[in-house]
Amino acid sequence: MLFRILSSVLVILWSTGVFAQADWRVEVAVADSITGGPLPYVNVQVANSPQGGMTDENGIYRFTTRREELTLLVSSVGYEAFRQRVRLEEDPTVKITVRLVPVAATLETVTVSSNNAAERLARPVMGVEQLNIREIELLPVALGEVDVFRGLQLVSGVNSAGEASNGLSIRGGTVDQNLVLQDGAPVFTPTHLFGLFSVFTPDAVGSVDLYRANIPAQFGGRIASVVDVRTRNPTSDHLKLQGGIGLVSSRLSVETPVTRDKSLKLLVAARAGLNDFVFKAFDRLKNTRSKFGDATIKLRYQAGENDMLTFSGFYSRDFYELDLINRFAGVIARSNQYDYSTTNGSLEWLHVFWRRNLLTQVVRSDHQPKVIFPEVDAANEVIYRSGILYHGLTSKLEFGDEAGHRLTAGIQLAHYQLSPGELSPGSSTNVTAVSLQREQAMEISGFVEDEWQIGSKLTVSAGLRYTQFARLGPGEQRFYEDIERLSGGTSAVTTFGEGSLMQSYGGLEPRIGLSYQVGPQTSLKASYALNRQYLQNIFNSTTPLPSSRWKVSDNNILPQRSHLYSLGAYQLLGEAYELSLEGYHRDISNLLEYKPGADFFLSPDVETDLLQGQGRTYGGELSLRKTGGLFRGEVNYTYARAFNRVDGPGLTTQINGGDWYRGYFDQPHTVNTHFTFDDQRTHRVSLNLVVQSNRPYSVPNGYLPIGNLTVPIFLERNNARLPLYHRLDVSWTIHNPGMRHRRWIGDWTLTVYNLYGRKNAYNIYYQPRDSGENAQIFGSSPLASYQLTIFGSPIVSLSYSFKFE
């Protein structure tokens, strides 16, 4: 009887709508606001929800929801991002038309998940940075060059390896612990002009995603971060030109449809710089030469209603000469000439079907460094060559379901072929030709990742990656006893033939992220990631040269491994302000270090000069950002520590007696600020201020006289710190000075880098001196210390940029 009564009550309640929950079928139609034509393959997201996908070939995206009110986010490269709050009425079928407004910008807006603070608040990702490249274009930088890396350096936890150094340090990691990609292909030397700015063609960049915490499962092979650069897609239905002229470089890009039906579109962008005249203005650099260039091409073909083919090609070339006397192998060179190039290619096929995207990509990366040593008093050149050739295949499937899951799964194949070094003596009789044995390796990986919402507050992202690494022949496998390894002797050598398995490693790499939304404007997050690194860049300086040696893991050099833990809190303050706080701790095993006096140049057994130990980095990052209004900006503070420990069985296999010591990028305090005032008409003024603890370096513990020579003795590594680094930069952009609506629009930008001429220390080095030389400075010390400064005075630059349609 009671059961019947309860059943009747439930039926009545259901029929009166107490337990009813309507399903709305929503159809979003996206079109170009100027042409009115539909826009296929546009990203559509529902804020604070796992629902989202891409429009079909007719510009339509359909989904079902039970939410009465939602915020719709629509974004596409080449268009202004769209955001609209929608309240669903009684009609179960809702049609929403979105008209995206094209933008004419040198670099497009970058989107990691969406360009929306509420979306970033809800998603379970940490350490993922969304960059607005149009703002990076306005950043005051050295010599006025638009540069992605300089923009990344304003992000919490990201520091430069130095003002003229090759790469970035992410959360205390070394330069080679970052995976830098362009359209899926790795870039092994990502900088131009002694490391002053990155190689990516400015007018071709479409998006830049930085992952430095729970890296998505589709990425692997590095333990610190992933910098994923994507070139922009050609979308224009008519000819577009844009470019610029500056003191350091000039650039030009062309975007146009190729076929009448506009199914095939083309983007070509190039940049070139000839800088010899700049260095002639400085007496110390008058014999320095430099030139560089880079070019990007992208073809995008709509092969059918559900298929898109894309080809992307990239080429970069650098040549610079330093008038440094260099002695090696019996050769006295009058200068060092560095000549290196990168040639990348990527072919991508996207197949779209209901709620699913299948993406298959084939990539090739060819990096060819060369160092030329012109002999003194001779016409001969001794040439050193090395190289790394990479081939990769990735196929992944992305789809979602009614339960709110976003699932990504796929496979990856990667093949490395390394040329460690080859020396060609030319006509010299004092130099012996050397050709080191090539190395090759293969990685086979599978990955799966799911993001789903559990209830109204908790969102989870769980990923798992498995990689099997194989070091392949031909080659030699050397075995050492501890006591013999101190002198480089081997106890056994095994020779392997072509394609045979020499060594293998592998394992699971879990990644997980949690986001709990405490309130409508507050969330707490946590993440964990395990990463392994099988490819190492070997160098015994602060940062690698373009010719620094790459090495795959083998029986003596184990893969580096990292466990990264992160916690964070995020708060939206009204419509325009965002506040975030993140803390992290990373444990590293098999960290690569080197012995004192290590020399890797043309060494057949580099492992005898290498050491492996432990590392740990930890810190906190506080960021306040203002995103709306005429005045925008952000203030970032980072507390970051990095420590290493190498505790081998003997004195030559220990560093600092086996105790913990500062890592090369242990920079405890960093403050990055950037502000821009834009009147939305003609004038934009930007400034950024950087203040940070400088890098550690090594101070001699004493000296040893040997005959007439005084030799500094270094018993401890990184036992001192360079002086405090700080710098103020400003820029002023005048947009379209004539204020006329016309097809040709030009901008003038004046930039002053290091406004107050701070002489920041890039390095401090020591050398013997005569007893009476500079006695007022050094007293009776037999050693003299000197500070090297790269930019010790303000650098003023003027550039002109234009756009034509």
Side-chain angles (χ1 to χ4, degrees):
M1 182 66 178
L2 179 61
F3 175 77
R4 290 182 180 180
I5 294 175
L6 290 175
S7 299
S8 300
V9 171
L10 288 175
V11 169
I12 294 172
L13 290 174
W14 186 274
S15 63
T16 57
V18 174
F19 287 94
Q21 193 168 20
D23 286 333
W24 282 276
R25 295 184 296 278
V26 182
E27 178 181 293
V28 181
V30 184
D32 188 295
S33 64
I34 297 178
T35 66
L39 293 177
Y41 316 118
V42 169
N43 183 42
V44 179
Q45 300 287 338
V46 178
N48 304 322
S49 165
Q51 288 177 317
M54 298 178 68
T55 59
D56 60 19
E57 67 279 2
N58 297 315
I60 304 295
Y61 175 71
R62 300 179 179 88
F63 65 94
T64 302
T65 183
R66 292 184 174 182
R67 301 170 63 177
E68 295 182 0
E69 190 175 67
L70 52 86
T71 299
L72 197 63
L73 309 166
V74 183
S75 61
S76 179
V77 173
Y79 293 87
E80 293 285 356
F82 175 88
R83 180 178 186 269
Q84 179 177 318
R85 186 178 296 274
V86 179
R87 184 169 182 83
L88 305 180
E89 305 297 338
E90 294 182 359
D91 191 343
T93 302
V94 180
K95 294 184 178 181
I96 302 172
T97 300
V98 176
R99 296 186 178 275
L100 295 185
V101 179
V103 296
T106 301
L107 299 176
E108 309 296 346
T109 298
V110 178
T111 301
V112 174
S113 60
S114 70
N115 191 21
N116 177 263
E119 180 77 358
R120 291 194 296 272
L121 185 78
R123 293 201 63 197
V125 291
M126 294 185 64
V128 179
E129 196 61 37
Q130 174 180 337
L131 302 178
N132 188 317
I133 300 301
R134 286 178 294 175
E135 292 180 359
I136 291 180
E137 185 185 15
L138 303 178
L139 291 178
V141 295
L143 304 174
E145 285 295 299
V146 176
D147 185 58
V148 169
F149 275 20
R150 291 295 173 180
L152 287 172
Q153 289 167 27
L154 295 181
V155 174
S156 298
V158 180
N159 289 325
S160 169
E163 283 189 306
S165 300
N166 180 25
L168 302 171
S169 170
I170 310 294
R171 289 183 167 177
T174 59
V175 173
D176 70 317
Q177 292 173 352
N178 308 313
L179 177 62
V180 181
L181 301 171
Q182 178 166 335
D183 291 336
V187 179
F188 296 102
T189 299
T191 60
H192 280 313
L193 197 61
F194 320 113
L196 290 181
F197 45 87
S198 59
V199 298
F200 308 108
T201 312
D203 292 337
V205 175
S207 67
V208 182
D209 296 342
L210 170 65
Y211 302 95
R212 64 189 192 277
N214 53 328
I215 298 173
Q218 70 185 58
F219 298 112
R222 299 293 190 277
I223 63 172
S225 75
V226 174
V227 179
D228 187 20
V229 179
R230 302 287 298 185
T231 56
R232 65 184 177 94
N233 294 319
T235 58
S236 178
D237 289 333
H238 52 273
L239 176 66
K240 291 176 61 176
L241 298 175
Q242 64 184 49
I245 301 173
L247 293 176
V248 175
S249 71
S250 297
R251 65 185 196 277
L252 179 67
S253 70
V254 179
E255 184 179 347
T256 181
V258 178
T259 57
R260 287 190 175 182
D261 62 358
K262 301 177 182 178
S263 60
L264 178 63
K265 297 181 179 180
L266 170 69
L267 169 67
V268 178
R271 172 176 59 170
L274 301 172
N275 316 113
D276 295 355
F277 73 94
V278 176
F279 299 113
K280 292 182 185 298
F282 304 92
D283 184 67
R284 176 63 185 87
L285 302 176
K286 63 182 179 180
N287 295 323
T288 299
R289 293 192 296 151
S290 173
K291 56 186 177 181
F292 68 89
D294 51 68
T296 301
I297 181 173
K298 194 162 191 177
L299 284 165
R300 192 165 175 87
Y301 175 62
Q302 186 171 336
E305 294 184 351
N306 300 314
D307 296 281
M308 183 74 73
L309 294 174
T310 305
F311 170 76
S312 176
F314 170 72
Y315 178 76
S316 173
R317 176 80 179 272
D318 272 77
F319 174 87
Y320 61 84
E321 180 177 20
L322 305 175
D323 60 340
L324 302 175
I325 299 297
N326 196 313
R327 298 172 182 265
F328 75 101
V331 174
I332 303 177
R334 64 176 181 269
S335 66
N336 294 342
Q337 298 177 358
Y338 290 86
D339 186 351
Y340 58 96
S341 65
T342 296
T343 306
N344 285 4
S346 173
L347 182 62
E348 187 176 276
W349 169 43
L350 173 65
H351 179 64
V352 180
F353 50 104
W354 178 244
R355 309 197 78 154
R356 291 167 175 81
N357 301 327
L358 176 62
L359 181 68
T360 301
Q361 185 182 60
V362 179
V363 301
R364 182 181 190 270
S365 178
D366 187 8
H367 180 53
Q368 297 291 330
K370 180 170 62 175
V371 185
I372 305 169
F373 302 98
E375 287 190 276
V376 174
D377 300 328
N380 183 53
E381 293 180 338
V382 179
I383 299 176
Y384 166 79
R385 293 182 176 89
S386 61
I388 179 168
L389 180 62
Y390 171 92
H391 292 91
L393 169 67
T394 301
S395 184
K396 65 177 181 179
L397 181 66
E398 300 174 336
F399 59 92
D401 61 17
E402 296 292 340
H405 290 266
R406 284 185 189 175
L407 189 65
T408 302
I411 59 171
Q412 289 178 333
L413 303 177
H415 182 267
Y416 300 92
Q417 182 171 308
L418 278 62
S419 300
E422 176 183 309
L423 189 66
S424 301
S427 60
S428 175
T429 58
N430 298 323
V431 179
T432 303
V434 178
S435 181
L436 299 181
Q437 191 171 52
R438 299 195 172 203
E439 301 178 9
Q440 64 172 332
M442 178 171 286
E443 291 181 31
I444 303 175
S445 306
F447 59 89
V448 61
E449 192 162 37
D450 190 14
E451 180 180 327
W452 74 98
Q453 188 169 358
I454 304 174
S456 59
K457 295 185 177 182
L458 180 63
T459 306
V460 179
S461 173
L464 186 64
R465 178 183 180 89
Y466 179 81
T467 298
Q468 184 65 42
F469 171 85
R471 165 76 163 94
L472 303 176
E476 291 183 348
Q477 197 173 63
R478 292 175 288 275
F479 299 90
Y480 299 87
E481 296 291 341
D482 287 341
I483 188 65
E484 291 177 340
R485 183 168 181 172
L486 300 180
S487 59
T490 59
S491 60
V493 177
T494 304
T495 303
F496 293 82
E498 178 72 33
S500 56
L501 178 63
M502 297 178 61
Q503 185 72 35
S504 66
Y505 297 99
L508 294 172
E509 299 179 7
R511 290 96 186 265
I512 187 168
L514 305 173
S515 175
Y516 183 78
Q517 197 149 351
V518 179
Q521 294 186 312
T522 307
S523 68
L524 302 176
K525 297 186 181 184
S527 71
Y528 165 77
L530 168 63
N531 294 279
R532 291 182 176 88
Q533 180 168 333
Y534 302 100
L535 180 68
Q536 329 293 341
N537 195 358
I538 300 174
F539 53 95
N540 59 357
S541 56
T542 304
T543 61
L545 293 171
S547 57
S548 294
R549 183 168 176 175
W550 291 89
K551 182 76 176 71
V552 297
S553 296
D554 56 21
N555 63 305
N556 291 305
I557 301 177
L558 307 180
Q560 298 184 65
R561 187 173 61 181
S562 162
H563 296 271
L564 177 62
Y565 309 86
S566 304
L567 289 173
Y570 304 83
Q571 177 75 43
L572 302 184
L573 306 173
E575 292 292 329
Y577 292 91
E578 302 175 38
L579 180 66
S580 66
L581 174 64
E582 287 191 19
Y584 67 90
H585 185 282
R586 178 168 59 218
D587 291 316
I588 305 171
S589 56
N590 303 324
L591 181 73
L592 213 61
E593 266 285 12
Y594 61 91
K595 294 181 180 179
D599 184 7
F600 305 122
F601 186 75
L602 292 173
S603 173
D605 51 358
V606 292
E607 64 271 11
T608 61
D609 275 331
L610 289 174
L611 301 171
Q612 289 193 280
Q614 299 171 269
R616 68 183 180 204
T617 65
Y618 57 88
E621 300 165 357
L622 178 65
S623 177
L624 176 63
R625 178 183 304 173
K626 184 179 186 295
T627 57
L630 301 181
F631 182 79
R632 303 184 180 192
E634 58 184 298
V635 178
N636 298 312
Y637 168 74
T638 302
Y639 175 76
R641 304 307 308 265
F643 296 94
N644 301 339
R645 183 170 69 177
V646 179
D647 187 14
L651 290 177
T652 61
T653 56
Q654 293 178 349
I655 296 178
N656 289 19
D659 296 329
W660 289 96
Y661 61 95
R662 300 186 187 101
Y664 297 98
F665 298 101
D666 176 62
Q667 297 170 282
H669 304 286
T670 299
V671 177
N672 288 324
T673 61
H674 169 64
F675 301 101
T676 298
F677 176 79
D678 188 346
D679 67 2
Q680 304 296 323
R681 299 180 64 224
T682 305
H683 298 281
R684 291 188 297 257
V685 178
S686 299
L687 63 87
N688 56 266
L689 173 66
V690 179
V691 181
Q692 67 180 178
S693 307
N694 217 327
R695 292 183 294 102
Y697 77 108
S698 300
V699 172
N701 299 93
Y703 60 90
L704 179 66
I706 302 179
N708 295 325
L709 183 64
T710 302
V711 179
I713 303 299
F714 294 88
L715 301 178
E716 296 177 308
R717 190 168 298 186
N718 295 344
N719 55 352
R721 189 179 299 280
L722 296 173
L724 181 72
Y725 180 101
H726 54 89
R727 189 190 76 243
L728 176 66
D729 314 319
V730 297
S731 71
W732 176 25
T733 298
I734 304 176
H735 172 67
N736 190 16
M739 291 297 292
R740 299 175 182 174
H741 296 286
R742 53 188 180 182
R743 299 177 67 186
W744 182 286
I745 296 177
D747 294 354
W748 289 94
T749 300
L750 174 68
T751 301
V752 183
Y753 181 87
N754 194 11
L755 180 65
Y756 51 80
R758 164 73 174 178
K759 289 180 169 54
N760 287 299
Y762 175 77
N763 196 14
I764 294 178
Y765 60 94
Y766 297 83
Q767 64 183 36
R769 70 179 187 90
D770 295 334
S771 59
E773 183 181 359
N774 295 323
Q776 73 278 14
I777 300 175
F778 303 113
S780 60
S781 171
L783 296 179
S785 63
Y786 299 91
Q787 175 176 303
L788 174 63
T789 296
I790 304 298
F791 299 124
S793 59
I795 299 178
V796 181
S797 61
L798 180 67
S799 62
Y800 176 76
S801 301
F802 65 86
K803 306 175 183 68
F804 173 78
E805 295 189 41

